[in-house]
Amino acid sequence: MADMHIDTDSVSSVAGQVEKIADAMPEALSGAVDEVDAVMSGNGWSDLAGELRRGLSDFVESYDLLTRQVTGFGEDLRACVASWNETESAHAEVFARYGEDL
């Protein structure tokens, strides 16, 4: 098996960007929902307005799922880096201890 290496700094950077996106997602959604509510109430909550609001509600549920998935992806990236660092540290320790004998 060939040597494998990951650039933990790059993966950590990507994880940070993913976390920023995940943090911004709920705020962006609540702003959109507030705007839709203002438009709907201005239209007297007509049948069409109600239908649009129900469609938005379905979208909100899907968006919430997407937000959780993005959050989980960021967490998985952080865990990957942590695991990689632990593994590399363990290998370095074993080599320091027994490397000359190998």
Side-chain angles (χ1 to χ4, degrees):
M1 184 157 111
D3 283 343
M4 189 171 108
H5 181 75
I6 65 169
D7 179 354
T8 55
D9 291 337
S10 295
V11 175
S12 292
S13 177
V14 170
Q17 294 301 315
V18 169
E19 289 166 348
K20 286 180 186 177
I21 291 168
D23 289 345
M25 290 175 75
E27 191 173 303
L29 181 61
S30 67
V33 169
D34 290 346
E35 288 182 31
V36 168
D37 283 343
V39 169
M40 295 305 154
S41 63
N43 284 297
W45 291 96
S46 66
D47 289 342
L48 179 57
E51 195 61 38
L52 289 172
R53 186 65 178 94
R54 282 187 288 282
L56 177 63
S57 179
D58 291 344
F59 172 77
V60 166
E61 288 179 27
S62 296
Y63 193 85
D64 181 54
L65 174 61
L66 178 61
T67 301
R68 290 193 313 268
Q69 290 172 329
V70 171
T71 299
F73 178 59
E75 291 169 354
D76 288 347
L77 288 174
R78 292 281 184 206
C80 173
V81 169
S83 294
W84 186 265
N85 287 337
E86 288 175 17
T87 300
E88 287 213 325
S89 293
H91 289 169
E93 182 181 329
V94 167
F95 186 78
R97 221 183 266 173
Y98 306 109
E100 291 177 12
D101 296 334
L102 298 174

